[in-house]
Amino acid sequence: MESNEYYSSILSAILFLVFTMHPGANAHGLVPALYVFGDSLVDVGNNNYLALSLLKADFPHNGIDYPGKKATGRFSNGFNFADFLAQNLGVPTAAPYLSLSPDSNNTDSYLAGVNFASGGAGIFNTTNSGQCISFDEQIDYFATLYAVLVEQLGTEKTIDHLARSIFALVIGSNELINYAKSDPADSASPEDFVGSLLATLQVQIKRIYNIGARRFVFIGSGPVGCCPGVRERNETKECNAVGNYVSNLYNTGVSSLLNKMQKSEDMSYSFFDTYNAVLQYIKQPSTYGFSEVAEACCGLGDLNAKIGCLPVSTYCDNRNDHIFWDYYHPTEATSRLVTTTAFDGSAPLVYPININQLTTS
């Protein structure tokens, strides 16, 4: 391990201990709590508790840069976006919902923030059905959490707590990847496909709002056509144009949906354009500290993307210079950079306000 990588790993461990393990870490946080919904980009271990699921990351080489080199269920070499967002907010990383025993009094845990995200989840309930916690199921769990808090704290205190907390949503990439890999002859038009995603998503976000969320962070889709797992299907190994088109179309639609919702509801939001941010990393890698933009760090085959990151896979020595950890997921370095920009950045990548500004909206 190179010395700079060693010290980077130590720094990550220190930050993790400061923000996620200290019992008083949220005493001076910018918000009371962070609640996370989504897919594998923000799953911090929920899928570990799904006995029949094959969509897991609780084995090497995942977590090789996590404190203790521990595979936690994060689809990453270390921390993911959910961790870095919590660090920036000054609150603990939200615990996986399924790690909290339903037979215990979870009021304190629920107040500290909860992560409902599940690897493989999508907007449609049919996406990886039976292998993950669907987005609708995640919202059902949130409704259960709300009921518990009302019973313990009363309606007024529960509503106040949720209204001041942050709700992060990272969802949609699994459907977009599936579309990019599908046969065009058997697929709806990109516009119709994205339209159906947005129609379903609108109902889901409104459900979260109706339960009590008021401050939303939406991390848009990255350019899924540039994921190694999609790239390697092209003879040229270039980004898949269809995948990138639907990613951008989806982000535009989500942004419009949130804007319209804000005009009619008592809510505020911050939207991060992951698509254009990551394209900048890919087109100007050295500017952002990267040198490898196409190949996955961990995997096997062309672009290390024929087979995912399994114990038998090989992995790169320097994870900090790779954009992608495995065939679909970013490295810890990419997640950190995305979070930093989303938290303190400005338009056109983050709008109408950044996450830091959202905490006082």
Side-chain angles (χ1 to χ4, degrees):
M1 180 182 289
E2 297 178 1
S3 59
N4 62 334
E5 185 182 353
Y6 171 77
Y7 289 117
S8 175
S9 178
I10 293 297
L11 178 59
S12 290
I14 292 172
L15 287 173
F16 177 81
L17 289 170
V18 169
F19 288 114
T20 67
M21 289 186 173
H22 191 281
N26 64 341
H28 303 290
L30 298 177
V31 293
L34 170 65
Y35 297 91
V36 182
F37 300 79
D39 53 33
S40 55
L41 296 172
V42 282
D43 186 350
V44 295
N46 273 310
N47 279 20
N48 295 353
Y49 298 89
L50 300 178
L52 300 180
S53 177
L54 299 176
L55 303 178
K56 296 185 178 182
D58 57 347
F59 49 80
H61 304 287
N62 296 296
I64 191 171
D65 296 311
Y66 193 86
K69 297 186 179 296
K70 180 181 179 182
T72 61
R74 290 165 172 80
F75 294 76
S76 170
N77 57 301
F79 298 124
N80 65 23
F81 172 77
D83 297 302
F84 289 121
L85 179 54
Q87 289 179 9
N88 278 273
L89 291 171
V91 298
T93 286
Y97 179 81
L98 295 184
S99 71
L100 304 173
S101 172
D103 299 323
S104 303
N105 183 344
N106 289 314
T107 303
D108 289 344
S109 296
Y110 288 171
L111 287 172
V114 174
N115 186 312
F116 303 98
S118 174
I123 293 169
F124 297 144
N125 290 332
T126 53
T127 301
N128 294 312
S129 178
Q131 296 290 310
C132 62
I133 311 168
S134 71
F135 192 24
D136 276 333
E137 288 177 300
Q138 294 176 35
I139 301 171
D140 291 341
Y141 285 147
F142 175 44
T144 299
L145 177 150
Y146 172 83
V148 170
L149 291 182
V150 167
E151 182 179 353
Q152 297 295 321
L153 305 176
T155 301
E156 185 176 345
K157 289 183 178 179
T158 299
I159 290 175
D160 177 69
H161 172 77
L162 296 178
R164 292 184 295 113
S165 296
I166 293 290
F167 289 77
L169 281 61
V170 184
I171 197 77
S173 293
N174 284 311
E175 282 95 354
L176 297 172
I177 288 171
N178 290 342
Y179 186 86
K181 294 168 66 176
S182 65
D183 184 344
D186 299 327
S187 304
S189 70
E191 291 74 17
D192 287 345
F193 171 70
V194 171
S196 64
L197 281 177
L198 295 173
T200 304
L201 180 65
Q202 181 175 15
V203 175
Q204 293 164 327
I205 295 178
K206 187 63 183 296
R207 279 189 67 201
I208 297 173
Y209 171 85
N210 286 340
I211 296 171
R214 293 296 181 268
R215 292 173 171 173
F216 290 86
V217 170
F218 201 107
I219 303 301
S221 170
V224 302
C226 294
C227 291
V230 179
R231 242 187 219 259
E232 69 87 17
R233 296 165 67 90
N234 287 348
E235 289 186 8
T236 62
K237 308 306 177 189
E238 295 298 318
C239 296
N240 177 289
V242 172
N244 281 1
Y245 178 70
V246 292
S247 298
N248 195 33
L249 194 64
Y250 172 73
N251 284 355
T252 300
V254 173
S255 175
S256 177
L257 185 162
L258 291 169
N259 184 47
K260 290 178 181 178
M261 187 172 172
Q262 185 180 47
K263 291 178 180 178
S264 62
E265 306 289 358
D266 176 26
M267 55 87 74
S268 52
Y269 74 94
S270 178
F271 178 86
F272 183 69
D273 183 2
T274 318
Y275 175 85
N276 280 302
V278 175
L279 276 186
Q280 287 183 8
Y281 307 163
I282 291 172
K283 293 177 179 178
Q284 304 171 34
S286 61
T287 302
Y288 300 95
F290 299 111
S291 60
E292 178 53 65
V293 304
E295 185 174 282
C297 171
C298 184
L300 291 171
D302 292 347
L303 300 183
N304 265 354
K306 283 287 189 181
I307 296 176
C309 188
L310 301 172
V312 297
S313 302
T314 59
Y315 62 91
C316 60
D317 291 331
N318 186 358
R319 275 75 69 187
N320 289 329
D321 64 13
H322 279 62
I323 291 178
F324 295 99
W325 164 239
D326 63 13
Y327 47 15
Y328 296 124
H329 303 100
T331 56
E332 177 184 86
T334 305
S335 294
R336 181 189 293 110
L337 187 57
V338 164
T339 311
T340 298
T341 307
F343 197 82
D344 284 317
S346 58
L349 291 182
V350 55
Y351 53 88
I353 55 179
N354 61 39
I355 299 173
N356 196 9
Q357 293 166 333
L358 181 67
T359 64
T360 59
S361 66

